[in-house]
């Protein structure tokens, strides 16, 4: 990770290289049971994803799904639901892509349910059902 951090900030590939290095690091931290450190690395990954989205103008932010999962694992359900709402809101206009949207919708529904937001979870489920019906 130190090598990725040492890349000149002006280098266009730096963000991608650093993101991949951080992703590998956070996986190792979680596998070692160092959850707090893993979550901190995920926060850094999300910051890179947000910066890249701002530069490119893309509405989908890389790192949101991992961040939401980390928040949920720590019992921070309301925050995880908000992050998943942001992710799904950005994904919906693009429609289905190899099932990624359907899986994200399911994760969103679970996050909303865990946060005690059953009405929103039901509405999200209706979105999923409607999308699946349109595909059939």
């Amino acid at each position: 990770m130190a090598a990725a951090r040492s890349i000149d900030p002006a280098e266009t590939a730096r963000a991608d290289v650093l993101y991949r290095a951080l992703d590998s690091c956070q996986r190792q931290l979680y596998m070692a049971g160092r959850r707090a450190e893993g979550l901190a690395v995920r926060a850094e990954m999300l910051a890179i994803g947000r910066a890249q989205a701002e530069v490119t103008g893309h509405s989908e932010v890389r790192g949101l799904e991992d961040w939401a999962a980390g928040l949920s694992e720590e019992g921070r359900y309301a925050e995880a639901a908000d992050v998943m709402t942001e992710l799904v809101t950005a994904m919906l206009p693009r429609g289905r892509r190899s099932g990624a949207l359907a899986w994200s919708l399911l994760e969103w529904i679970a996050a909303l349910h865990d946060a005690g937001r059953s009405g929103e979870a039901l509405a999200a489920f209706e979105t999923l059902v409607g999308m699946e019906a349109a595909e059939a």
Side-chain angles (χ1 to χ4, degrees):
M1 195 162 61
R5 288 187 192 284
S6 71
I7 296 172
D8 183 349
E11 172 60 47
T12 57
R14 181 182 191 267
D16 286 327
V17 172
L18 182 54
Y19 188 94
R20 286 194 306 272
L22 291 168
D23 189 31
S24 178
C25 180
Q26 66 88 17
R27 289 178 197 281
Q28 293 299 316
L29 289 167
Y30 272 94
M31 286 174 37
R34 296 166 57 185
R35 301 169 60 86
E37 292 167 275
L39 187 61
V41 172
R42 286 182 180 181
E44 188 174 352
M45 291 168 58
L46 180 58
I48 291 169
R50 287 197 187 286
Q52 285 182 309
E54 186 176 314
V55 167
T56 63
H58 286 109
S59 60
E60 290 183 46
V61 175
R62 186 164 62 161
L64 284 173
E65 196 165 357
D66 287 332
W67 179 240
L71 291 171
S72 183
E73 290 168 6
E74 296 301 317
R76 295 165 59 180
Y77 303 121
E79 292 172 85
D82 291 342
V83 171
M84 287 306 299
T85 299
E86 178 183 351
L87 176 64
V88 170
T89 300
M91 292 177 80
L92 279 171
R94 293 185 56 193
R96 290 182 73 96
R97 293 172 298 157
S98 314
L101 177 57
W103 281 112
S104 292
L105 283 165
L106 288 169
E107 292 170 356
W108 182 37
I109 293 163
L112 290 166
H113 176 270
D114 290 344
R117 294 158 53 179
S118 56
E120 291 175 70
L122 181 57
F125 183 73
E126 290 170 356
T127 300
L128 175 63
V129 169
M131 183 185 77
E132 293 298 318
E135 288 289 317

